[in-house]
Amino acid sequence: MQNVRKRRGNNSHSTPDVSEDKGPHRKGQRFHFDLWFCLTLQNWILDFGRPIVMIILPLDWFPLNKPSAGDYFHMAYNVITPFLMLKLIERSPRALSRTAVYLCIITFVMGASIHLVGDSINHRLILSGYQLHLSVRENPIIKDLKPDSLIDSFELLYYYDEHLGHIMWYIPFFIILFIYFSGCFCSFQEERRITVPGWLLLGPSALYYWYLVTEGQITELFLLTFFAMVTMVMFQHHKGLSPDSNGLFLLYSFSVTLLLVALWVAYLWNDQVLRNKYPGLLYVPEPWSYYTLHIKKNH
């Protein structure tokens, strides 16, 4: 009888350990300002600042047959970004699939590395007169190359840089953000306000995502991720749950990004040169194409 009671007592204490997860839908988590700040800062410096550094620094410092400063920025980005994404996933209050996360990180690194090579050569072509607002075959420095198979090689390079590299880079990036967002829910009674530093970080974060969406030509992927997040918010609302401070930060950042993209498209709506280069269903010009067409030409 005593043994039976002991077993019952042990079972009563072990039951919470079996059913207990990390409490994703019961308790809100604090705002991860340190990770969001580091992620935003390195995005601005290592990704947005990469082509600017390549243009500003003297060409003599980085010969065309050697890696440029921007290439080293890209290498650092390919290491630091997945590390920060993994740290973000670690802090998720929900136990997430390690297999899905690892596959996304591996694909992300591979896609960003493909883009590193293509983008490095592409920016060297810019220094030689390549114009981003024109297609590969229409560029003055390429259209007269002989034999014609050389032009095919440059088109292959463009495909690796602007298509395959972006697909393998950005799809896992947004999947990881969505996986993280799926665990950022708590009950209505929990504290879920964004801190003041978080609000200050919201603008730079949203502005970077605008650059990512427009320059990366991933409007469809961004819209799909954003509407998936909104759908999840509505679904969780029926369960009495709402986004915590980290979920709100991500949701608000994407909302402001959507507004900025809409304003960007409206501003360049009647630009016929850019419309010829971006003839698809969604007309979203790249900022660097705008730079080579309207800013660099005027200076």
Side-chain angles (χ1 to χ4, degrees):
M1 191 69 175
Q2 219 169 9
N3 291 336
V4 173
R5 286 178 180 172
K6 185 181 287 188
R7 285 197 299 270
R8 286 179 177 172
N10 291 337
N11 289 339
S12 65
H13 288 293
S14 62
T15 301
D17 293 333
V18 174
S19 61
E20 181 183 11
D21 54 17
K22 298 172 76 173
H25 302 315
R26 294 181 178 84
K27 188 175 181 180
Q29 54 180 336
R30 68 178 182 83
F31 183 67
H32 304 319
F33 176 77
D34 56 339
L35 287 182
W36 291 121
F37 175 77
C38 290
L39 194 60
T40 303
L41 181 64
Q42 69 95 32
N43 282 336
W44 273 104
I45 295 176
L46 300 180
D47 190 18
F48 178 79
R50 170 170 44 85
I52 297 176
V53 168
M54 295 174 69
I55 293 175
I56 293 178
L57 292 182
L59 188 60
D60 296 338
W61 293 6
F62 303 94
L64 293 180
N65 62 342
K66 300 293 182 181
S68 69
D71 296 339
Y72 292 114
F73 274 41
H74 208 319
M75 295 175 195
Y77 174 90
N78 292 3
V79 175
I80 296 174
T81 302
F83 172 76
L84 292 175
M85 301 289 280
L86 285 172
K87 298 302 292 184
L88 199 63
I89 291 294
E90 283 180 8
R91 293 193 189 180
S92 172
R94 176 183 177 185
L96 304 172
S97 170
R98 290 187 177 183
T99 302
V101 172
Y102 290 162
L103 284 175
C104 286
I105 291 295
I106 292 170
T107 307
F108 172 92
V109 173
M110 185 174 180
S113 300
I114 291 174
H115 182 268
L116 162 63
V117 177
D119 198 59
S120 175
I121 298 174
N122 189 44
H123 278 280
R124 279 158 178 71
L125 291 175
I126 293 176
L127 297 175
S128 301
Y130 187 85
Q131 300 179 33
L132 291 174
H133 60 279
L134 299 176
S135 67
V136 174
R137 291 188 176 273
E138 292 174 344
N139 261 273
I141 67 170
I142 291 180
K143 65 181 181 180
D144 295 327
L145 288 177
K146 299 296 181 183
D148 291 339
S149 58
L150 281 176
I151 301 179
D152 295 332
S153 299
F154 278 105
E155 286 187 323
L156 177 62
L157 176 68
Y158 181 85
Y159 172 78
Y160 274 114
D161 179 18
E162 296 295 331
H163 295 284
L164 185 62
H166 284 186
I167 289 173
M168 296 182 66
W169 177 2
Y170 295 132
I171 289 181
F173 178 82
F174 281 97
I175 288 177
I176 291 175
L177 287 180
F178 180 75
I179 290 175
Y180 173 79
F181 179 78
S182 67
C184 295
F185 287 86
C186 60
S187 62
F188 290 133
Q189 292 76 21
E190 294 291 338
E191 182 70 25
R192 53 192 183 93
R193 291 182 302 174
I194 300 178
T195 61
V196 174
W199 284 111
L200 296 177
L201 196 62
L202 185 65
S205 176
L207 191 59
Y208 169 75
Y209 286 128
W210 163 82
Y211 172 77
L212 193 71
V213 171
T214 53
E215 186 64 29
Q217 292 293 286
I218 52 170
T219 308
E220 296 88 345
L221 176 61
F222 169 74
L223 291 176
L224 180 63
T225 306
F226 177 72
F227 289 131
M229 291 167 61
V230 173
T231 302
M232 176 162 286
V233 171
M234 297 171 61
F235 176 75
Q236 297 288 4
H237 181 80
H238 291 293
K239 295 183 178 181
L241 304 171
S242 62
D244 62 15
S245 56
N246 294 284
L248 287 176
F249 176 79
L250 200 54
L251 186 64
Y252 290 165
S253 295
F254 277 30
S255 299
V256 176
T257 299
L258 184 61
L259 176 62
L260 292 175
V261 171
L263 292 175
W264 173 253
V265 172
Y267 174 67
L268 298 174
W269 187 257
N270 295 319
D271 194 310
Q272 294 302 319
V273 176
L274 292 178
R275 273 197 170 275
N276 289 335
K277 183 177 181 180
Y278 306 98
L281 180 63
L282 291 177
Y283 167 67
V284 182
E286 297 174 67
W288 280 105
S289 293
Y290 175 82
Y291 167 79
T292 60
L293 176 61
H294 295 291
I295 299 178
K296 184 180 179 181
K297 183 183 293 186
N298 295 332
H299 292 79

